[in-house]
Amino acid sequence: VQLVESGGGLVQAGGSLRLSCVASGFSNDGFAIGWFRQVPGKEREGVACIRRQNGRPAYADVAKGRFTISSDNAKNTVYLQMNNLKVEDTAVYYCGADPAGWCGLPYDYVGQGTQVTVSS
């Protein structure tokens, strides 16, 4: 299984970014892909998750109303659209995968991460 994230960068508070996670190597469609983030010295924080089979999303409180997770199954890609970004959203964002379709930390597979920096 391989997960490759992209789309991070520097944005001003109130701005938007869209992260992408290309997933490959799964043997069936029963998996889930989630996004989580981490700031050095702090615990990982789940953000959102989506299940491949039914496309049902799940959001942590930090993401509700501002972030949207979606998937393009034809491209094996999961997106995290982040709007109205805040300085406190600054972190390395990772996508993770669970082959059994579980949404939540820890994930069995994790990508390399992409840095998101929100300036004031």
Side-chain angles (χ1 to χ4, degrees):
V1 172
Q2 187 175 21
L3 304 170
V4 180
E5 302 100 331
S6 62
L10 174 64
V11 64
Q12 286 190 326
S16 299
L17 281 174
R18 189 178 78 160
L19 307 182
S20 300
C21 174
V22 180
S24 61
F26 292 98
S27 59
N28 58 61
D29 288 343
F31 59 91
I33 300 288
W35 288 96
F36 65 96
R37 64 190 187 184
Q38 189 164 27
V39 175
K42 294 189 177 181
E43 294 289 322
R44 293 170 299 177
E45 181 179 37
V47 175
C49 181
I50 191 165
R51 294 173 175 87
R52 166 88 176 198
Q53 282 188 327
N54 58 22
R56 183 173 299 173
Y59 295 97
D61 288 344
V62 68
K64 291 178 180 177
R66 298 190 299 129
F67 296 177
T68 302
I69 189 169
S70 63
S71 64
D72 184 335
N73 290 346
K75 296 182 178 180
N76 293 322
T77 302
V78 171
Y79 303 99
L80 184 69
Q81 177 67 44
M82 303 187 295
N83 298 328
N84 191 22
L85 283 161
K86 304 175 181 179
V87 172
E88 51 265 39
D89 293 318
T90 296
V92 178
Y93 284 71
Y94 299 88
C95 69
D98 184 280
W102 171 256
C103 273
L105 292 164
Y107 290 99
D108 289 354
Y109 302 95
V110 178
Q112 84 284 356
T114 185
Q115 176 71 46
V116 171
T117 303
V118 184
S119 63
S120 58

